[in-house]
């Protein structure tokens, strides 16, 4: 071994020779000289594009020294392929005799002991001089290489300098180590810049969903960023304009550690008026997969500003869901205004929806009145029973949804309104459209995102729901007997959740704190038309319905369903097979 190398270089080279012998290589063998070209080489160069660009800039500054020293600098990818070269033209011709060129792979198992291949394996700077090269053909070279790592500590590749062994310079290894460190710094800086851009974009996306108006100002107090809530308050064209002090805004100056001011942030912190608590998604009880699915979709839809149409029978909880959507939305600190469209006479339509000016009609208040849409400005308007709107009301609603402008009765001044619309109905609106009783254009204005609430009879959590409601009542000791559970499951629940709550209040009262028995559960629909012979189901239909309801109520737990039906587990399995009852 050459005396020009340190003990550590010698040790590393010795280890490399041992590996080469294990690979089955022999010093006098022909060297692997395949040169990659074409599509695969282009792919590798593309993968290392950023790496190469930074290397080119650094080597351009070192070009005079590299040429004068008679060396060639090579950049090697992490798989050992040379992807860039620069250096002394007079040495390039001799370098090609050993394929020291772009497209050649210099992994240790291919090219034997060489600085590039050893640096890739050992992942530390190394010098391989003259006879230290494993292959005899490469021993006219002196090489120094240093690994380059990504900001995450992963191997990116190797920077190498090679020349004729007569041109050996002990400082070459220090030089490639410095180039490697410079490359790592550049990669780190570029990633930090990308991370900064991503962070700013992430913050911009995040603050758009913040219900509080938030504004960023430059050193001249001009608005450079504003979230959606702020743009509603300051105007959609506020970016670039001077920020003038507004009531409710608190301005905070942000500076770096040098105390040089960079910018300011203005946050709107108006005092909230005390108001009735609205429902949230946590208030929607139930473990039924269908209701859980609706909650997930509703929570996702809440973060958008699209109109939402809620479908479901009366008593399924449409207003509860509408309030939950509002409280989870960016408009949560703004008004939630509910309008019962079914109870709105045409004669009061305009004044109720759009308000009226002083003296607009007989009986009008002196100061005039604000309408529902104006009251809901920047918040949410909930149009309940929208399927019951008269033709005239449908025209008025369509106009305000299209124009986003209202005019008070008796007034001439138009007012811009920004409201999020959530509509609900127990009717099949598409069928009403086909019948001609509901406007097609209004239907598609309201339909944006459509959510359907399942009726109680189709839910699998009736018992769990009932137990939850009982816990919320003033009868904490009330418990449902097994017979009462069977009665709950077998009932058709035309009044849905509203009927269930009413029935449980009556039952808990009658049970006087004890177990709720079947006789305590009184349903308005238990009597009436039930004695008509044409409505009496067959025994087979009754049995199938009972099995299906018990399975739904227990989440398809066959053992629990068998207990509710008071039959054996095997008997229930047999009946399910006979009636071909399967979980969908």
């Amino acid at each position: 071994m050459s005396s020009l190398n340190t003990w550590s270089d010698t040790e590393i080279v010795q280890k490399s020779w041992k590996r080469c012998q294990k690979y089955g290589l022999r010093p006098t063998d022909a060297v692997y000289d395949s040169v990659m070209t074409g599509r695969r080489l282009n792919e590798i160069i593309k993968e290392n594009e950023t790496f190469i660009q930074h290397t080119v800039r650094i080597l351009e500054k070192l070009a005079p020294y590299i040429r004068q020293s008679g060396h060639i600098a090579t950049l090697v990818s992490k798989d050992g392929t040379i992807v860039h070269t620069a250096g002394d033209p007079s040495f390039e011709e001799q370098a090609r005799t050993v394929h020291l060129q772009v497209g050649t792979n210099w992994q240790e198992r291919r090219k034997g002991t060489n600085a590039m291949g050893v640096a890739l394996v050992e992942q530390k700077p190394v010098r391989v001089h003259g006879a230290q090269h494993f292959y005899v053909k490469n021993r006219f070279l002196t090489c120094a290489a240093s690994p380059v790592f990504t900001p995450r500590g992963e191997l990116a590749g190797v920077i190498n300098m090679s020349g004729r062994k007569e041109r050996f310079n002990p400082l070459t290894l220090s030089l490639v180590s410095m180039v490697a460190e410079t490359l790592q710094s550049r990669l780190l800086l570029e990633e930090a810049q990308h991370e900064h851009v991503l962070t700013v974009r992430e913050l911009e996306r995040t603050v758009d969903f913040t219900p509080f108006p938030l504004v960023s100002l430059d050193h001249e107090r001009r608005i450079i960023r504003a979230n959606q809530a702020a743009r509603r308050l300051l105007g959609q064209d506020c970016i670039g304009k001077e920020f003038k002090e507004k009531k409710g805004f608190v301005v905070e100056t942000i500076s770096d550690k040098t105390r040089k001011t960079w910018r300011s942030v203005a946050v709107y912190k108006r005092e909230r008026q005390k108001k009735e608590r609205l429902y949230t998604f946590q208030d929607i009880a139930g473990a039924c997969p269908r209701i859980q699915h609706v909650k997930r979709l509703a929570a996702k839809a809440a973060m958008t500003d699209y109109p939402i149409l809620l479908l479901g029978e009366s008593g399924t909880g449409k207003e509860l869901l509408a309030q939950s959507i509002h409280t989870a939305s960016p408009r949560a600190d703004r008004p939630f205004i509910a309008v019962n469209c079914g109870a709105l006479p045409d004669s009061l339509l305009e004044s109720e929806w759009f308000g009226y000016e002083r003296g607009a009609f007989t009986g009008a208040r002196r100061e005039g009145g604000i309408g529902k849409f104006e009251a809901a400005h920047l918040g949410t308007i909930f149009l309940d029973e929208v399927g019951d709107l008269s033709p005239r009301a449908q025209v008025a609603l369509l106009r305000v949804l299209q124009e986003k402008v209202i005019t008070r009765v008796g007034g001439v001044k138009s007012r811009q309104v920004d409201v999020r619309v959530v509509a609900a109905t127990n009717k099949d609106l598409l069928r009403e459209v086909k019948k001609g009783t509901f406007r097609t254009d209004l239907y598609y204005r309201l339909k944006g995102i459509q959510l359907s609430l399942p009726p109680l009879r189709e839910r699998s959590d009736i018992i769990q729901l009932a137990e939850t409601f009982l816990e919320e009542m003033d009868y904490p000791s009330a418990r449902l007997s097994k017979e009462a559970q069977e009665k709950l499951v077998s009932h058709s629940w035309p009044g849905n959740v509203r009927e269930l709550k009413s029935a449980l209040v009556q039952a808990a009262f009658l049970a006087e704190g004890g177990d709720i028995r079947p006789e305590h559960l009184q349903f308005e629909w238990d009597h009436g038309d039930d004695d008509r012979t044409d409505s009496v189901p067959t025994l087979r239909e009754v049995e199938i319905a009972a099995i299906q309801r018990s399975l739904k109520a227990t989440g398809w737990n066959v053992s629990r369903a068998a207990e509710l039906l008071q039959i054996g587990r095997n008997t229930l399995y047999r009946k399910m097979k006979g009636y071909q009852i399967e979980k969908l």
Side-chain angles (χ1 to χ4, degrees):
M1 298 297 171
S2 172
S3 61
L4 294 168
N5 293 283
T6 63
W7 178 86
S8 58
D9 282 338
T10 302
E11 183 181 38
I12 289 175
V13 169
Q14 287 175 342
K15 287 168 62 179
S16 174
W17 272 60
K18 289 179 181 179
R19 286 194 297 268
C20 290
Q21 289 164 354
K22 287 182 180 179
Y23 299 148
L25 306 180
R26 290 183 300 182
T28 56
D29 285 346
V31 182
Y32 177 88
D33 284 333
S34 176
V35 179
M36 187 185 305
T37 57
R39 181 176 178 181
R40 179 55 188 148
L41 178 60
N42 290 334
E43 289 175 352
I44 293 176
I45 291 175
K46 184 68 176 177
E47 289 169 7
N48 292 272
E49 186 174 13
T50 301
F51 196 21
I52 295 170
Q53 287 173 352
H54 287 304
T55 303
V56 168
R57 294 190 189 103
I58 296 171
L59 294 183
E60 281 177 352
K61 295 179 181 179
L62 295 174
Y65 169 79
I66 297 172
R67 285 195 296 269
Q68 185 180 359
S69 65
H71 282 70
I72 285 180
T74 57
L75 180 67
V76 182
S77 67
K78 62 184 178 182
D79 70 347
T81 303
I82 297 178
V83 292
H84 178 72
T85 64
D88 180 9
S90 64
F91 178 57
E92 285 181 356
E93 187 174 346
Q94 189 174 3
R96 287 196 191 97
T97 63
V98 290
H99 295 281
L100 197 61
Q101 64 193 79
V102 172
T104 309
N105 192 290
W106 279 75
Q107 283 184 351
E108 185 183 70
R109 65 175 56 248
R110 297 174 184 268
K111 290 284 191 177
T113 302
N114 69 88
M116 292 174 278
V118 175
L120 285 170
V121 174
E122 298 289 346
Q123 295 193 12
K124 59 181 65 173
V126 63
R127 175 171 43 220
V128 177
H129 176 73
Q132 288 184 320
H133 288 87
F134 186 81
Y135 280 120
V136 173
K137 189 176 181 180
N138 294 335
R139 291 180 182 176
F140 73 95
L141 293 170
T142 182
C143 307
S146 180
V148 181
F149 298 95
T150 69
R152 290 176 294 280
E154 300 166 352
L155 182 65
V158 164
I159 185 72
N160 171 78
M161 288 188 68
S162 296
R164 287 183 289 271
K165 62 182 180 180
E166 295 80 13
R167 306 298 295 270
F168 170 80
N169 187 325
L171 296 178
T172 305
L173 183 59
S174 298
L175 180 62
V176 293
S177 297
M178 290 172 59
V179 172
E181 288 181 9
T182 305
L183 269 170
Q184 289 174 178
S185 298
R186 284 176 175 263
L187 292 172
L188 179 62
L189 179 60
E190 182 172 57
E191 180 157 310
Q193 290 171 339
H194 286 314
E195 188 68 29
H196 173 72
V197 171
L198 288 174
T199 301
V200 170
R201 289 177 180 172
E202 181 184 356
L203 286 172
E204 287 176 344
R205 292 286 297 166
T206 303
V207 299
D208 266 347
F209 294 112
T210 301
F212 300 102
L214 182 64
V215 176
S216 294
L217 311 173
D218 64 13
H219 64 285
E220 294 180 344
R221 295 180 69 82
R222 294 193 179 278
I223 299 172
I224 57 176
R225 275 189 293 274
N227 66 355
Q228 287 184 1
R231 288 195 292 270
R232 293 191 193 103
L233 198 65
L234 303 175
Q236 294 297 326
D237 59 346
C238 65
I239 304 298
K241 292 184 177 180
E242 182 183 354
F243 177 76
K244 296 179 179 178
E245 293 290 348
K246 287 186 175 289
K247 185 178 180 181
F249 271 100
V250 176
V251 179
E252 181 180 347
T253 300
I254 298 175
S255 60
D256 64 1
K257 63 182 180 181
T258 64
R259 299 186 181 277
K260 180 180 179 180
T261 301
W262 280 12
R263 56 182 49 93
S264 302
V265 176
V267 186
Y268 189 67
K269 295 183 178 179
R270 70 179 178 85
E271 294 183 7
R272 293 189 182 184
Q273 296 179 345
K274 290 185 178 180
K275 59 181 180 181
E276 184 180 353
R277 177 187 175 274
L278 297 176
Y279 288 112
T280 68
F281 286 117
Q282 286 73 31
D283 296 312
I284 302 177
C288 173
R290 289 185 64 182
I291 203 69
Q292 290 293 327
H293 178 63
V294 171
K295 283 173 67 174
R296 285 194 296 272
L297 291 179
K300 191 174 180 180
M303 299 310 295
T304 73
D305 227 15
Y306 299 127
I308 296 177
L309 179 61
L310 306 179
L311 303 178
E313 297 178 5
S314 294
T316 51
K318 295 188 291 294
E319 181 162 0
L320 190 156
L321 185 61
Q323 289 189 19
S324 301
I325 290 170
H326 172 75
T327 52
S329 76
R331 298 172 181 257
D333 69 328
R334 297 297 182 168
F336 175 88
I337 304 297
V339 179
N340 187 343
C341 298
L344 191 64
D346 278 356
S347 58
L348 299 177
L349 176 68
E350 280 85 359
S351 59
E352 281 290 312
W353 276 4
F354 311 135
Y356 56 88
E357 296 290 358
R358 175 181 178 180
F361 51 84
T362 304
R365 293 202 300 261
R366 287 185 58 187
E367 66 277 12
I370 190 171
K372 301 292 187 185
F373 275 89
E374 196 173 343
H377 181 56
L378 301 180
T380 302
I381 190 163
F382 174 53
L383 304 174
D384 198 12
E385 305 302 344
V386 73
D388 295 335
L389 285 174
S390 67
R392 179 186 169 194
Q394 291 179 38
V395 173
L397 176 58
L398 179 62
R399 186 171 65 249
V400 72
L401 294 183
Q402 287 177 333
E403 305 299 330
K404 294 182 172 51
V405 168
I406 58 102
T407 303
R408 290 182 179 182
V409 175
V412 293
K413 181 182 178 182
S414 295
R415 288 176 166 83
Q416 200 83 22
V417 288
D418 175 8
V419 295
R420 203 282 177 76
V421 178
V422 179
T425 181
N426 58 7
K427 291 185 175 181
D428 185 341
L429 278 192
L430 192 55
R431 182 180 297 174
E432 297 298 317
V433 168
K434 292 177 181 177
K435 285 167 53 179
T437 58
F438 200 86
R439 294 181 64 100
T440 305
D441 44 8
L442 179 58
Y443 170 70
Y444 287 110
R445 278 280 176 182
L446 297 171
K447 185 174 176 284
I449 297 172
Q450 185 171 295
L451 301 174
S452 297
L453 283 160
L456 185 57
R457 63 182 171 275
E458 294 179 8
R459 290 178 59 165
S460 61
D461 59 351
I462 294 175
I463 302 303
Q464 298 96 314
L465 204 57
E467 290 172 344
T468 300
F469 291 155
L470 285 172
E471 289 175 3
E472 296 172 352
M473 293 180 187
D474 294 331
Y475 298 94
S477 60
R479 293 291 181 271
L480 289 166
S481 66
K482 186 178 293 185
E483 296 80 10
Q485 290 182 22
E486 293 170 7
K487 188 171 182 177
L488 287 176
V489 171
S490 63
H491 186 53
S492 62
W493 299 110
N496 291 295
V497 177
R498 190 181 292 126
E499 182 190 358
L500 174 62
K501 284 185 175 181
S502 176
L504 290 173
V505 169
Q506 174 82 347
F509 172 76
L510 294 175
E512 297 181 341
D515 285 353
I516 295 176
R517 306 289 305 165
E519 59 269 20
H520 298 143
L521 292 166
Q522 300 177 4
F523 307 135
E524 288 81 352
W525 283 274
D526 277 350
H527 311 290
D529 294 337
D530 287 354
D531 56 348
R532 287 170 45 188
T533 56
D534 60 352
S535 65
V536 176
T538 65
L539 185 59
R540 173 188 171 90
E541 291 171 340
V542 170
E543 197 163 23
I544 289 174
I547 292 172
Q548 289 176 329
R549 285 183 179 171
S550 66
L551 288 169
K552 285 182 180 179
T554 59
W556 283 80
N557 185 319
V558 177
S559 299
R560 182 101 169 86
E563 287 181 14
L564 286 177
L565 295 169
Q566 295 184 344
I567 61 176
R569 188 165 173 267
N570 290 336
T571 302
L572 179 54
Y573 269 121
R574 189 172 62 253
K575 289 181 178 291
M576 288 171 64
K577 184 177 180 181
Y579 292 138
Q580 296 181 333
I581 298 174
E582 297 178 353
K583 186 176 182 180
L584 299 178

